[in-house]
Amino acid sequence: MPTYTATRPLDGDADLYFDYISDPENLPAYFPRMTSAHELPDGKVETTAHVDADQDGSDETVTSEAEFDVDRAAREVTWSAPGPHDYHGSLRITDDGVELTIHTTQDFDGMQQALDGSLAKIAENLRADA
């Protein structure tokens, strides 16, 4: 199972970072292919993304439900989405920075660059809001 990890120094207030990443409504602001995310009454998150889910070379709009768990004590958000690629991951605040990890059953071209870009976008969005 491929694992992708991106890290970035924490340039800002750790509590503000965690508040931002733990709000599922913010997901589309830093995951570029995600177009919407909304928390459901059962605690899951409904996401819509524009991706090549069937690997046919063309992007399609896909809506799914994902587990989205917030652990404030560990300063970590974990998620998992059902489907053929067993996609799950975590975003956590460490003493040294921010760490984003994705696990999936398939290699995806550009995944590492996408993770690095997501962490950069989080920092940029927080600087803009400060």
Side-chain angles (χ1 to χ4, degrees):
M1 173 182 300
T3 297
Y4 301 90
T5 300
T7 58
R8 180 181 177 91
L10 182 64
D11 50 350
D13 181 272
D15 291 329
L16 290 177
Y17 255 78
F18 191 75
D19 288 345
Y20 183 78
I21 65 172
S22 65
D23 183 347
E25 301 289 327
N26 290 327
L27 291 168
Y30 57 88
F31 284 127
R33 293 188 164 275
M34 192 174 297
T35 58
S36 69
H38 305 288
E39 190 167 4
L40 300 173
D42 64 1
K44 291 183 181 178
V45 174
E46 181 181 77
T47 62
T48 302
H50 198 65
V51 296
D52 185 9
D54 59 9
Q55 301 294 305
D56 69 353
S58 296
D59 286 350
E60 48 273 339
T61 300
V62 177
T63 299
S64 64
E65 287 185 13
E67 296 288 334
F68 189 85
D69 298 306
V70 176
D71 183 341
R72 288 204 173 276
R75 283 193 175 150
E76 182 173 29
V77 176
T78 57
W79 63 87
S80 60
H85 304 299
D86 188 28
Y87 176 85
H88 60 281
S90 65
L91 186 52
R92 71 183 178 108
I93 306 298
T94 68
D95 289 338
D96 300 324
V98 183
E99 181 179 274
L100 174 58
T101 303
I102 301 289
H103 306 279
T104 181
T105 59
Q106 183 174 354
D107 284 318
F108 289 97
D109 288 339
M111 179 65 88
Q112 188 63 53
Q113 294 85 352
L115 296 186
D116 293 335
S118 291
L119 291 184
K121 190 65 177 170
I122 291 169
E124 178 185 319
N125 292 347
L126 287 169
R127 278 193 304 273
D129 287 344

